[in-house]
Amino acid sequence: MPALYGRVDFRTLPERFAGSPGDATLLTGKYAAERDRLLADPDRIEFMRAYTMMGDGVADAYAALMREYGFRHLVDMLTRACDDGVENVPDAPPELVDFIRAMERIPDWLDMRLVEEGARIDRNAAANLSPFVIRGAFIATFMNKYAALPMAITNTLSSETAGKRVKETATFFSTSVLPGALERFGPGFKSAAMVRLMHSMVRANVLRRPADWDWSIYGFPIPQVDQMPAGLISIFLLSYKMQEEGREQFTPAERAQVELARYRCFLLGLPEELLADTPQGIVDLMNARSGTLRAGYDDATCGELLRATMAADLRADGSRRARIHDRFERAFAKLFFVKNFMAGDKAKAATIGVYLTAWDTMLAALAGIFIYARLRLYGVAERIPWLRDLADRRLVAKIKAQLASYGHAEFTTDAARYRSSPTSLAAA
């Protein structure tokens, strides 16, 4: 795609890529000691460098048709291709056919029975925990200026737009655990296609405006390695915990959860080389990504995104129930963020706009008791044969109700609203 990638200097090593000893990176805390071992493997470093400069070939090619077909027509054709099959889209461009066929391809390792079992296991957390942590987890994606800049230039700096992005993210992951969601004509397959198109639209617009994007600093916009954390964080934490426990093999239930995460990421366009299937492989890949992404935080990009997300109104309506949930959810999200991404340092969190008060801590503790009790209750029901199916149907109903409260996810990006000069953000 020379029209899209032709201006990219793939020989240039951008500032964001930290491949030398002593570089400050995202790999900190208990994981930092792993960096020296990873750097000692030149093939691994070159591997991460390559994927740091790689987009989504088939989705990018389709997004590149935006000027020819128009933004809305591209979305409509993709929607119909997902719902009815690409062969039933009148005059479907070959780029759309390639996009859908790539998603339809069955990887050799795929076992849909395991994927469905993983989805069933994950429904408990999706229904009872995710609504309270999605805001805090979403904020974590803004903590690095090199990875966060595309979100900033697509005008995600208002609380309204940030709220839509949070709901879109929650919609995709919640949809993906519904029964049959990741089958070819399931809603999760369609959501994955829409997420890929949204990312590629951002990438295509940035690539067409090289004067507004400093390649020597930020490198390739939304590279494949930046897709890893959202899709693989749960199995990374699981794998790291296993290593601490001295375990080297997943249990059958854990294997099912791993396969769900891997296939979900496959549908999102991650190359299979980034989808390790062993605990050590998963840990090494995630640490290699963090250990080669230079640390960097600037308030004009990261801080504004963070504050907009914390201010976003995620309520479905103005009812008393929604207002109560909102108060507990915000408090729990703050505590989740401070504990998991600020190492428990409330003062440090306050410097970037997340103020965890004593009142917040109390509300979060009460929410935690409520969440833990529900997780345990459904966990017990899972082990009782005559209750298992009943509990699962209840979880499915809860997830569908959550999806209805999020509203219609747009999974789109409007180039007309982009900031005109992202490089000015870095200088601010």
Side-chain angles (χ1 to χ4, degrees):
M1 285 179 284
L4 197 60
Y5 298 148
R7 295 187 180 96
V8 181
D9 183 358
F10 288 98
R11 298 166 301 178
T12 300
L13 189 65
E15 180 184 295
R16 71 162 273 163
F17 190 81
S20 302
D23 288 340
T25 70
L26 289 191
L27 196 63
T28 58
K30 61 184 179 181
Y31 307 116
E34 293 292 306
R35 189 166 186 267
D36 289 343
R37 179 177 65 83
L38 296 170
L39 288 178
D41 184 347
D43 290 339
R44 185 182 300 279
I45 297 303
E46 181 56 30
F47 176 85
M48 296 309 297
R49 182 185 185 278
Y51 281 114
T52 298
M53 296 296 288
M54 185 178 292
D56 183 342
V58 292
D60 288 356
Y62 184 59
L65 301 177
M66 209 179 325
R67 291 180 178 176
E68 179 181 350
Y69 285 87
F71 167 79
R72 178 48 56 188
H73 192 39
L74 286 185
V75 173
D76 290 343
M77 285 194 295
L78 181 59
T79 299
R80 182 161 183 181
C82 290
D83 291 341
D84 304 327
V86 70
E87 63 277 4
N88 293 312
V89 178
D91 301 317
E95 291 84 356
L96 175 59
V97 176
D98 291 344
F99 185 4
I100 293 297
R101 295 295 182 235
M103 292 187 66
E104 289 176 337
R105 183 177 71 83
I106 306 299
D108 294 338
W109 46 265
L110 179 64
D111 183 340
M112 284 303 294
R113 292 174 300 175
L114 278 179
V115 171
E116 285 296 324
E117 176 63 9
R120 188 191 63 77
I121 294 170
D122 278 7
R123 283 198 275 274
N124 189 358
N128 295 309
L129 177 61
S130 294
F132 288 90
V133 301
I134 187 65
R135 188 195 304 261
F138 197 73
I139 286 173
T141 65
F142 304 146
M143 298 307 293
N144 180 271
K145 68 179 182 180
Y146 304 101
L149 188 59
M151 292 292 286
I153 66 172
T154 51
N155 205 31
T156 313
L157 295 176
S158 71
S159 58
E160 179 183 358
T161 310
K164 289 180 181 178
R165 293 290 179 252
V166 172
K167 289 181 179 181
E168 286 173 351
T169 301
T171 294
F172 169 70
F173 284 101
S174 294
T175 299
S176 72
V177 301
L178 291 174
L182 299 183
E183 297 284 353
R184 167 58 186 90
F185 292 98
F189 183 100
K190 180 178 179 180
S191 291
M194 294 300 171
V195 169
R196 288 178 73 167
L197 179 59
M198 177 183 69
H199 288 157
S200 287
M201 284 179 168
V202 173
R203 197 178 292 118
N205 278 290
V206 170
L207 288 167
R208 282 182 172 138
R209 297 160 52 170
D212 290 334
W213 182 271
D214 193 332
W215 297 95
S216 66
I217 296 176
Y218 298 102
F220 203 84
I222 319 182
Q224 291 288 26
V225 292
D226 284 358
Q227 310 302 305
M228 293 171 61
L232 300 176
I233 187 63
S234 61
I235 63 172
F236 166 72
L237 295 175
L238 167 64
S239 298
Y240 201 88
K241 180 182 178 183
M242 287 176 58
Q243 289 187 332
E244 291 180 327
E245 295 172 350
R247 293 194 293 127
E248 298 180 356
Q249 300 292 328
F250 294 114
T251 66
E254 289 168 345
R255 168 55 65 188
Q257 292 175 289
V258 168
E259 293 309 296
L260 167 66
R262 294 178 74 217
Y263 187 51
R264 188 162 53 196
C265 286
F266 171 84
L267 291 177
L268 285 173
L270 267 74
E272 292 177 70
E273 293 85 355
L274 296 178
L275 303 178
D277 63 352
T278 65
Q280 187 64 58
I282 293 167
V283 168
D284 283 351
L285 276 173
M286 286 289 283
N287 281 343
R289 186 264 177 180
S290 297
T292 53
L293 177 56
R294 192 176 303 278
Y297 181 95
D298 67 71
D299 195 66
T301 302
C302 306
E304 287 300 313
L305 285 167
L306 184 151
R307 289 185 285 274
T309 303
M310 287 305 301
D313 187 350
L314 304 183
R315 292 176 296 176
D317 52 50
S319 66
R320 183 170 180 269
R321 179 188 178 121
R323 293 196 304 271
I324 293 173
H325 174 84
D326 178 73
R327 189 66 190 89
F328 280 93
E329 179 270 322
R330 287 178 187 272
F332 195 86
K334 289 181 186 179
L335 183 63
F336 177 84
F337 175 78
V338 172
K339 290 288 187 184
N340 289 279
F341 303 105
M342 291 282 107
D345 191 335
K346 293 191 291 184
K348 183 179 179 181
T351 64
I352 61 175
V354 179
Y355 300 95
L356 182 67
T357 66
W359 178 245
D360 287 326
T361 302
M362 186 188 75
L363 291 179
L366 292 174
I369 294 171
F370 173 79
I371 294 165
Y372 180 74
R374 284 202 164 190
L375 290 171
R376 289 286 293 173
L377 179 64
Y378 280 99
V380 170
E382 161 71 19
R383 296 190 291 271
I384 302 175
W386 63 272
L387 267 181
R388 177 174 171 169
D389 289 343
L390 179 64
D392 189 57
R393 288 195 296 271
R394 175 59 183 159
L395 289 173
V396 169
K398 283 170 64 68
I399 292 170
K400 288 182 176 179
Q402 289 169 10
L403 290 170
S405 74
Y406 295 146
H408 174 68
E410 297 176 0
F411 294 116
T412 58
T413 177
D414 182 359
R417 299 184 62 192
Y418 286 8
R419 289 190 165 200
S420 60
S421 181
T423 52
S424 66
L425 290 176

